[in-house]
């Protein structure tokens, strides 16, 4: 989880490659209307995200039913959004990826194939509610190379034992 440019998809794919768990880029689950809205530089509001969060939750439920593990690259910016992902007894571990604004802007300005423009970063930062201490969440800086972040997450997973 994290704002645009924090490395969610890159880290998720790297974790998938190391763990073999299925992974899903949450951006793919957005409706065409949401994608068009974001591509036009219009921030999503809570109502826009409801169907998307339901799709994300359904994907997590599918992984839980298959007992396959799963990695969902999803902004999950607000606690209320994360609560929707925890519905029906799911207890995902949120890995909060973050970097300073300059790094995020540089990454976003360097992306040519993503629909989300750098102009939406301020609205995402304004919406962001970092995970609270009572949430199942780990925090990692993505200031450095993705391989380093992936290695740190894998180390923490090994140290914490099996995930439920």
């Amino acid at each position: 989880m994290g704002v645009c440019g924090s490395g969610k998809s890159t880290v998720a794919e790297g974790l998938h490659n190391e763990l073999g768990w299925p992974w899903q880029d949450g951006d793919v689950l957005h409706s065409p209307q949401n994608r068009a809205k974001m591509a036009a530089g219009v921030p999503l509001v809570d109502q826009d995200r409801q169907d998307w969060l339901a799709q994300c939750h359904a994907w997590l439920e599918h992984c839980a039913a298959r007992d396959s593990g799963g990695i969902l690259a999803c902004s999950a910016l607000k606690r209320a959004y994360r609560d929707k992902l925890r519905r029906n007894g799911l207890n995902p571990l949120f890995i909060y990826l973050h970097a300073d604004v300059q790094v995020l802007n540089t990454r976003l300005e360097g992306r040519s194939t993503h629909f989300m423009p750098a102009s939406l970063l301020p609205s995402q930062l304004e919406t962001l509610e970092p995970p609270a201490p009572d949430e199942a969440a780990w925090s990692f800086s993505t200031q450095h190379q993705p391989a380093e972040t992936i290695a740190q997450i894998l180390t923490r997973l090994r140290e914490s034992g099996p995930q439920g």
Side-chain angles (χ1 to χ4, degrees), residues 141-156:
S141 170
T142 59
Q143 297 279 113
H144 32 70
Q145 294 298 313
E148 189 175 335
T149 303
I150 293 162
Q152 290 172 352
I153 294 167
L154 290 169
T155 297
R156 184 101 181 252

Side-chain angles (χ1 to χ4, degrees), residues 1-159:
M1 66 154 288
V3 298
C4 55
S6 63
K8 297 179 299 290
S9 297
T10 301
V11 169
E13 187 170 9
L15 291 171
H16 160 76
N17 291 338
E18 293 293 325
L19 298 169
W21 297 350
W23 88 278
Q24 175 66 57
D25 189 331
D27 285 343
V28 173
L29 301 176
H30 274 294
S31 69
Q33 295 84 359
N34 278 1
R35 290 173 67 99
K37 190 173 184 179
M38 288 184 282
V42 179
L44 299 182
V45 296
D46 289 350
Q47 187 58 40
D48 295 326
R49 291 183 173 103
Q50 297 312 304
D51 289 341
W52 172 70
L53 288 165
Q55 292 291 323
C56 290
H57 181 265
W59 188 86
L60 290 171
E61 276 190 318
H62 176 75
C63 289
R66 293 180 54 209
D67 200 26
S68 64
I71 303 161
L72 174 66
C74 167
S75 57
L77 296 174
K78 290 184 177 183
R79 183 182 187 124
Y81 303 164
R82 296 187 295 275
D83 287 346
K84 288 184 182 299
L85 298 174
R86 288 190 272 262
R87 287 187 348 257
N88 301 335
L90 289 182
N91 189 28
L93 170 64
F94 291 91
I95 297 177
Y96 170 44
L97 303 177
H98 53 87
D100 69 39
V101 175
Q102 182 179 6
V103 168
L104 295 169
N105 270 319
T106 299
R107 288 178 185 163
L108 291 171
E109 289 167 2
R111 293 197 305 197
S112 60
T113 59
H114 200 277
F115 64 88
M116 189 165 205
S119 64
L120 288 179
L121 179 59
S123 71
Q124 288 222 321
L125 290 168
E126 185 177 310
T127 302
L128 177 65
E129 297 172 2
D134 66 328
E135 293 184 79
W138 297 341
S139 177
F140 292 89
S141 170
T142 59
Q143 297 279 113
H144 32 70
Q145 294 298 313
E148 189 175 335
T149 303
I150 293 162
Q152 290 172 352
I153 294 167
L154 290 169
T155 297
R156 184 101 181 252
L157 282 169
R158 282 191 295 274
E159 289 172 351

